[in-house]
Amino acid sequence: MGKILFFGAMALFLFSCKEGNTGADKVETQEVVFNLKSLPKKATINPEAKVVLKDWVEFNALESSFDALYKVQDKEGLTLVVEDLIEKQKLLETSSFPEEFDVPQIKSRLKVIKTTILKTKFSLEYGVDTKEPATALAKAYNAFRNQFTVIVNSRLDTTLILNE
């Protein structure tokens, strides 16, 4: 009786471990396609802010790397641009900011850019759709650029508020 039970369990084990295509475990791989038309257009910077920014070397390096994002045509190009953006963002983060832009608003926008760059990088690495993180990256960069205009246009003297 023990032998029949043993051989029955072995037969059940062998048939249950059969490798076959059941269709349930079929995994489709997605080809990552990057569509430039989905990216928002770059925000313009106030001419007064451009005067201050023209001498900020690290910002100009990030700016030129970000321009390359709008010229990307495939996954490999996007990977290269994202890696370059990571390097330039790190340099910008550790650089000395111009006095007008050495404020928490600019630094926080830079952290958001860092987060969206990394989100785009991980989307590329894991082979998921890059449309949403790349769009978020463009929006974050536009918010960063708009913050320069907001700061330049703000004529509020903060020393009056802090002294009282």
Side-chain angles (χ1 to χ4, degrees):
M1 181 72 172
K3 289 183 180 181
I4 295 174
L5 208 55
F6 175 74
F7 286 117
M10 288 300 289
L12 183 66
F13 177 72
L14 289 174
F15 287 117
S16 66
C17 293
K18 176 183 157 189
E19 287 189 34
N21 248 348
T22 61
D25 55 359
K26 189 185 276 188
V27 177
E28 291 184 28
T29 58
Q30 292 181 351
E31 179 63 31
V32 178
V33 178
F34 186 68
N35 186 1
L36 293 175
K37 294 178 184 175
S38 65
L39 291 179
K41 294 185 182 196
K42 282 179 57 174
T44 57
I45 298 178
N46 187 322
E48 295 175 34
K50 282 185 181 180
V51 171
V52 177
L53 292 173
K54 73 176 181 176
D55 296 329
W56 194 7
V57 176
E58 292 84 3
F59 172 78
N60 292 325
L62 181 70
E63 183 82 9
S64 64
S65 293
F66 197 84
D67 288 339
L69 181 66
Y70 285 91
K71 298 174 185 168
V72 169
Q73 296 181 0
D74 57 1
K75 179 183 174 184
E76 291 79 22
L78 182 59
T79 303
L80 291 173
V81 167
V82 167
E83 291 297 327
D84 190 41
L85 282 172
I86 290 170
E87 291 176 23
K88 300 295 171 66
Q89 184 275 330
K90 285 179 184 177
L91 291 173
L92 182 63
E93 194 173 41
T94 58
S95 72
S96 59
F97 288 66
E99 184 179 336
E100 297 88 349
F101 301 133
D102 194 11
V103 293
Q105 295 93 328
I106 296 293
K107 292 179 180 181
S108 67
R109 301 278 185 198
L110 194 55
K111 287 187 187 283
V112 172
I113 289 173
K114 179 181 181 178
T115 303
T116 55
I117 290 171
L118 293 175
K119 188 176 179 182
T120 306
K121 177 184 176 184
F122 293 130
S123 293
L124 284 166
E125 287 179 1
Y126 291 113
V128 295
D129 186 28
T130 57
K131 179 181 178 182
E132 186 268 327
T135 303
L137 174 58
K139 286 180 181 178
Y141 193 72
N142 281 339
F144 179 63
R145 291 172 58 95
N146 286 334
Q147 193 63 43
F148 293 124
T149 302
V150 169
I151 289 172
V152 169
N153 288 341
S154 175
R155 303 288 182 208
L156 182 63
D157 187 11
T158 57
T159 58
L160 294 174
I161 298 171
L162 296 176
N163 288 336
E164 291 185 24

